[in-house]
Amino acid sequence: MPEPSHRLRWAPIPATSLNIELSLTSGQVFRWTRNAGGAWLGAVGDIGAYIVPAERGFWWATYPPDRWNVVEAFFSLQVDVESLYREWVRSDRRFAELIDLFRGLRILRQPPESALCSFICSSCNNVPRISGMVGSLARLVARQLAVPWFEELRADPTLVDLARVQERALRDAGFGYRARYLAQLGRLACSGLTPDIEGLERFGWSEARAALMALPGVGAKVADCVGLFAYGRHDVVPVDTHVRRYVVARFRPDLATRSLTPRVYDALAAEFRGIMGPYAGWAQQYAYMAARSGVAIASLQGGTG
DNA sequence: GGTAGACCTGATAA
DNA sequence: GTTATCAGGTCTA
């Protein structure tokens, strides 16, 4: 595989501000791969990206070339995480531990339709299997990008792309019950029966969220993932099993035995947002990682200081 | 408004 | 080897 080494450009963003590996492997995106030389390869929409992490920054290339705006937006580089960290520790002293563990973890900004497909696949599932499905989906429906330094790279899929595959084929590829949702979504999109998913970004969140939740396979959690990971709604808190455990153990033990009804879901999200503030969605990713890796819940339990 | 079961599958634990 | 549980949930009755 020829590499774009002669065209690599430098971005002086230290790993303390952007931990590339952590950000790309934290269950937000599922299709980035690392080559033997430690370079990360992936697609952002229909742009190919090549990223080499280093201590004081990273080397990068895109195809088509020099699309810094794409890299910058994808990693949400306009967000100053250091100031978030200061705020978070003021809001919740024990967040210091999570910041130490996951410093440089960022919310990535993905194309909305692709994020929608990925998180429909995420229900009752684990990250390795989700990665397998999201990879299969791209191979089955998304178009191949002519990136000279990567033999096989697919664009991020769109909803109309989904119509290229039958539910049967998705089931055969191991998507399980999610196959029906994706196939339905493709048919709806091709018939013009889905809203303009990109355009929803400009609506108020409650309206956009309701429109997303009207789609097959999309409930509150998946809609919130699109809000946070695609629309840049920094305050939206997707409540999955891990975040639920975290918020219950940390702040709402009274909800420990309650099942996750829409009310309880909203209460947990509101609790966390009330404490962590306008970037609660970003903070959510740290809580998610902590709960998922099992390190923090016990030590964080009890007390509020 | 809340609950129970069904829905696919693969990895890991018991 | 078999069974149970767990994964970034959603839908229907």
Side-chain angles (χ1 to χ4, degrees):
Chain A
M1 175 195 329
E3 297 184 2
S5 45
H6 58 293
R7 289 189 223 160
L8 288 181
R9 304 185 60 175
W10 175 247
I13 314 285
T16 51
S17 172
L18 168 60
N19 184 325
I20 293 168
E21 172 172 9
L22 193 50
S23 300
L24 292 175
T25 59
S26 60
Q28 301 183 60
V29 291
F30 304 93
R31 218 155 55 83
W32 282 70
T33 56
R34 184 165 38 183
N35 73 14
W40 288 94
L41 297 128
V44 180
D46 54 5
I47 306 293
Y50 182 102
I51 309 280
V52 186
E55 187 75 8
R56 296 164 183 278
F58 60 90
W59 297 97
W60 65 276
T62 60
Y63 193 87
D66 301 332
R67 301 292 289 273
W68 170 248
N69 59 327
V70 171
V71 175
E72 184 181 32
F74 179 65
F75 288 114
S76 305
L77 293 179
Q78 81 285 3
V79 174
D80 174 15
V81 286
E82 289 303 333
S83 72
L84 295 185
Y85 294 162
R86 287 192 292 273
E87 276 184 42
W88 291 349
V89 173
R90 277 199 293 272
S91 306
D92 177 2
R93 212 169 271 283
R94 297 194 184 184
F95 228 82
E97 187 184 337
L98 304 192
I99 293 164
D100 281 343
L101 284 169
F102 305 116
R103 186 177 298 278
L105 170 60
R106 281 174 176 276
I107 296 300
L108 304 170
R109 186 145 186 186
Q110 314 170 37
E113 299 194 0
S114 161
L116 188 55
C117 297
S118 296
F119 286 96
I120 285 173
C121 293
S122 76
S123 88
C124 246
N125 210 344
N126 52 65
V127 171
R129 186 171 168 222
I130 298 165
S131 302
M133 288 182 190
V134 170
S136 299
L137 188 65
R139 279 190 299 278
L140 286 167
V141 308
R143 80 188 169 80
Q144 169 80 355
L145 295 178
V147 177
W149 28 268
F150 199 30
E151 72 263 22
E152 160 83 17
L153 182 64
R154 298 283 175 163
D156 280 323
T158 64
L159 296 193
V160 291
D161 284 341
L162 293 176
R164 296 212 180 99
V165 69
Q166 299 286 319
E167 175 180 345
R168 182 70 255 169
L170 289 171
R171 288 204 175 251
D172 291 344
F175 283 73
Y177 60 82
R178 305 158 196 87
R180 183 162 47 89
Y181 300 146
L182 294 171
Q184 278 180 348
L185 197 49
R187 283 196 300 275
L188 289 172
C190 283
S191 311
L193 296 174
T194 51
D196 173 9
I197 305 293
E198 306 254 352
L200 281 180
E201 182 176 328
R202 296 186 290 277
F203 284 61
W205 174 236
S206 61
E207 198 177 340
R209 188 179 195 244
L212 292 170
M213 288 177 66
L215 300 171
V218 183
K221 158 65 171 57
V222 172
D224 286 349
C225 284
V226 174
L228 176 63
F229 298 133
Y231 294 158
R233 291 268 167 178
H234 308 302
D235 61 326
V236 169
V237 178
V239 180
D240 76 303
T241 175
H242 298 297
V243 171
R244 177 192 184 188
R245 266 197 304 136
Y246 180 90
V247 179
V248 164
R250 189 80 186 83
F251 304 116
R252 294 297 299 267
D254 59 305
L255 297 178
T257 57
R258 299 278 297 277
S259 53
L260 194 62
T261 62
R263 273 172 180 279
V264 172
Y265 181 104
D266 291 341
L268 292 172
E271 179 78 30
F272 194 74
R273 182 161 47 245
I275 292 167
M276 302 310 295
Y279 281 76
W282 285 56
Q284 166 274 159
Q285 199 65 17
Y286 288 68
Y288 163 77
M289 290 297 284
R292 189 181 123 187
S293 50
V295 288
I297 290 291
S299 68
L300 291 166
Q301 211 154 14
T304 50

